[in-house]
Structure formats: structure tokens, C-alpha cells
Amino acid sequence: MSTVVALLEANSLVTAFVVVALILAASNWLATRIFRGQVHGSAIAITVGLLLAYWGGLVGGGSKGLADISFFSGLGVLGGAMFRDFAIVATAFGAELDALKRAGWVGAMSVVLGVILSFVVGAVVAVGFGFTDAVSISTIGAGAATYIVGPVTGTALGADSGVVALSVAAGLVKAILVMVATPLVAKRIGLDNPQSALIYGGLMGTTSGVAAGLAATDPKLVPYGAMTATFYTGVGCLLAPSLLYLAVLYLQQLF
Amino acid sequence: MVIYGVGLLAACMLVGVILGDLLGQLIGVQANVGGVGIAMLLLIWVTNASRFKVLLEPPTSSGINFWSAMYIPIVIAMAAKQNVVAAVSSGWLAVIAGVAAVAVSFAMIPLLARLGRSADE
């Protein structure tokens, strides 16, 4: 038994692949069987990941969640900044410039406006909760954009790991809420045609939230929303650690 | 070959990260400024340029698609390594920030849709 554990620890990254696959498999099973498609499997999996990180933090006593337990140390590599950024860049591959041009200026504007709106809301809430340093405020604001923009911004600005976790949690709350609430509010917000779907994807930005939210509303609208949402994380990663962070710094000097 | 796709993706990321770092030094921010975003724009530009079409035949593109598909699993691993214990001590912040961001964004959709329609006419 101890040999097996030692081998799994020696091949930690490979072990991490199995662990994540098992988490996703269990989450997708829960999504279809228990939640009956109401919640996206990936959202459940991320929640499970955060819960495991909480448990790992209690047991391991470190700052890297589950990755502090040597058996799970591969998660630290797989979920580290290098692979995360690599995968984010890869998601841009699905986006076509021509399709975005067809989306028109409203689609492009909704992405930029969506990032700024969510960032401002998140930043204001962070200030309301007593955060005073520009790095933490920007990271939480970025997390209110998506749970990718938050950690990317936090890593770029050198934010505390706890603040990064907060930004991921805020992005997760957003993603789950978008999945659950979209079919409920679709009629009220006029989400019934390709153009409003493009705007919706741009404003919400959370790819899994948008894909699941539109699938639950009208599957025909999925590609339009996903198109603008694909650009959201990129625009967020571009704006949040640069212009928006500088804006926070500037406002901080005023008050 | 699959490795061409992976290599292209990797090259885009490295160039983006280097440019992001330079941009950071340029504006005096102790941070990588938008390196990932620049890398994404670079990848979109390269994969849409006709001279690189040869590079993107199925085996090559699957090298990029694989990593695109690994995005969610990597995000899950990332969630599992976060310092949640520290975050939980101020738990309401995340909920309020997330809910408020969604509410404000939902409210903006009809407004922008109206703007788009009047622009079309």
C-alpha cells in the first residue's frame, strides 16, 4: 500500500489527471442525475475543487489547498499559472475574427462594457468589505468578471492567495447564477434572437455559464453567445491588470 | 503534426508573455500587463492568416484543440489549489460581488440590444 502511495506521489502530475477526471466524472453524474441539467457539470466540479481545497487547507495547513497534501501535489502543477495560461490562450483558437466582425460593434462593445461593469461592481463590493489596497480591489473586481480573469489579474499583480481564492469564488458564484438564472429571466431581457445572444455572451463573459445558460434557454443561440464570451476572458485579462488596475490606483490617490 | 499546433500555441503564449512583461516595464507596473490577452490576439491573428492555413490541417489543429479542451480540467485543478480556508473567513464578499455583477449585467442586455437595433436601422 505504501509503495502504491509512493508511486502516485512520484508521478504526481499523472495522478492529478486521474483526480481531476474523477472529479469531473462525479460532477457530470451529479449534474445529470441529481440536478437534472439545472447546473453545469463543470460548475459542480469547480465547487468540488474549492471544497477539496478547503479540506486540504484544513488538513495540510498550507496556502495551496489540496496541493499541499503530497498525494495531490500534481494539482499544483496542473492548476498552476503555466498550464492555466496555456489553456486560456488555446481557447482563443475557436474564435474567428470574421464572425466577430459580423457581430458588429455592439458585440465588441458589450464585451468591453461587460468586463468594465463587472469589474466596477466587484471592486465596489471589495471596498465595501474593507479592502484598501489597489491590488486586492482589482483582483476581486476581476474575479467578478470571470474566475479566470481574477486569478490571472491576481497573479500578474502579485495578490495574496486568499484574495485570489475570493476572486475565484466570486467568479464561480457568477457562473452558477448565470446558468441557473438565464432561462428564468430570458423573456424579460429579450434573450430570444442572435443579436441579444451576442450581447448576452459579451456582458456575462463566463463561458461555461453562457454555454449552459443559453442551452437551457434556446440551444440555437449557443454559438452566438459563446462567440462573444470567448473574447471576454481575453479582454478581461488585457484590461483588468492594466487599464482597470491603473484606474483603481488613480482613484485611490484622489480619496 | 500535433506538435506543430502545440508549438504554435506555445510560441504565441511566450511572445505574448514577453510583450506583456515589456509593456509592464514600459508603463512602470510591477506586473505582466495583459500578456495572456496579447497571446490570445496573436493566436487568433495567426490562425486566421491565410499564409498559415497549411499549419492548421487537422493533426496540427488538434494540438491546439486538446489544450483548449483541457481548459475546464485545468480550472478545476486550479480551484483545488486555492487558499479557500483564508477566503472563507470573508465569505459574503464573493456571493455579493458575484450576484451583483450578474444582476447589473442582465439589466444592461435590453439597453444594448436597443442600441444595436437603432444602429442597424
Side-chain angles (χ1 to χ4, degrees), chain A residues 27-204:
Chain A
S27 302
N28 283 329
W29 185 85
L30 279 174
T32 43
R33 292 298 165 89
I34 308 294
F35 293 97
R36 309 208 169 270
Q38 294 282 310
V39 183
H40 207 265
S42 61
I44 298 173
I46 291 161
T47 313
V48 170
L50 286 169
L51 288 174
L52 288 173
Y54 179 72
W55 176 76
L58 287 182
V59 175
S63 64
K64 285 189 291 183
L66 198 59
D68 277 325
I69 300 170
S70 64
F71 182 80
F72 295 111
S73 63
L75 289 171
V77 181
L78 185 62
M82 183 172 64
F83 278 135
R84 187 203 57 210
D85 290 351
F86 196 52
I88 293 169
V89 175
T91 62
F93 185 48
E96 282 177 43
L97 275 186
D98 285 348
L100 189 79
K101 279 178 196 155
R102 275 200 301 276
W105 64 274
V106 178
M109 203 178 80
S110 69
V111 174
V112 176
L113 195 71
V115 169
I116 295 173
L117 264 182
S118 294
F119 183 93
V120 168
V121 169
V124 166
V125 173
V127 171
F129 272 81
F131 282 94
T132 50
D133 64 301
V135 169
S136 298
I137 293 170
S138 301
T139 303
I140 293 166
T146 74
Y147 52 74
I148 300 290
V149 181
V152 167
T153 303
T155 308
L157 299 177
D160 183 71
S161 164
V163 174
V164 172
L166 267 181
S167 77
V168 172
L172 183 67
V173 170
K174 182 182 179 182
I176 293 175
L177 194 64
V178 168
M179 291 173 201
V180 178
T182 299
L184 301 175
V185 298
K187 242 183 202 153
R188 285 184 100 169
I189 58 177
L191 184 58
D192 56 4
N193 59 80
Q195 201 202 26
S196 61
L198 279 162
I199 294 166
Y200 161 84
L203 282 174
M204 297 302 159

Side-chain angles (χ1 to χ4, degrees), chain A residues 20 24 42 45-46 49-50 53-54 57-58 63-67 75-76 78-79 82-93 97 105-106 109-110 113 117-118 121 125 129 131 140 144 147-148 151 156 161-162 164-166 169-170 173-174 177-178 181-182 185 189 195 199-200 203-204 231 234 237-238 242 245-246, chain B residues 6 9-10 12-13 27 29-41 43-45 47-48 56 61 64-65 67-68 70-88 90-110 112-113 115-117 119-120:
Chain A
V20 173
L24 257 172
S42 61
I46 291 161
L50 286 169
Y54 179 72
L58 287 182
S63 64
K64 285 189 291 183
L66 198 59
L75 289 171
L78 185 62
M82 183 172 64
F83 278 135
R84 187 203 57 210
D85 290 351
F86 196 52
I88 293 169
V89 175
T91 62
F93 185 48
L97 275 186
W105 64 274
V106 178
M109 203 178 80
S110 69
L113 195 71
L117 264 182
S118 294
V121 169
V125 173
F129 272 81
F131 282 94
I140 293 166
Y147 52 74
I148 300 290
S161 164
V164 172
L166 267 181
V173 170
K174 182 182 179 182
L177 194 64
V178 168
T182 299
V185 298
I189 58 177
Q195 201 202 26
I199 294 166
Y200 161 84
L203 282 174
M204 297 302 159
F231 282 89
C237 290
L238 196 64
S242 55
Y245 168 63
L246 292 176
Chain B
V6 180
L9 173 61
C12 285
M13 173 165 156
I27 59 173
V29 179
Q30 292 289 326
N32 190 300
V33 179
V36 174
I38 297 169
M40 291 178 88
L41 292 174
L43 184 72
I44 294 170
W45 175 73
T47 53
N48 278 283
L56 294 168
S61 61
I64 305 175
N65 279 327
W67 286 103
S68 181
M70 283 299 284
Y71 161 86
I72 296 276
I74 284 171
V75 167
I76 292 160
M78 183 195 72
K81 64 158 279 199
Q82 297 301 320
N83 191 356
V84 180
V85 173
V88 162
S90 50
W92 280 104
L93 190 157
V95 175
I96 294 173
V99 171
V102 173
V104 170
S105 302
F106 270 144
M108 282 301 291
I109 293 173
L112 275 181
L115 266 177
R117 265 197 300 276
D120 285 345

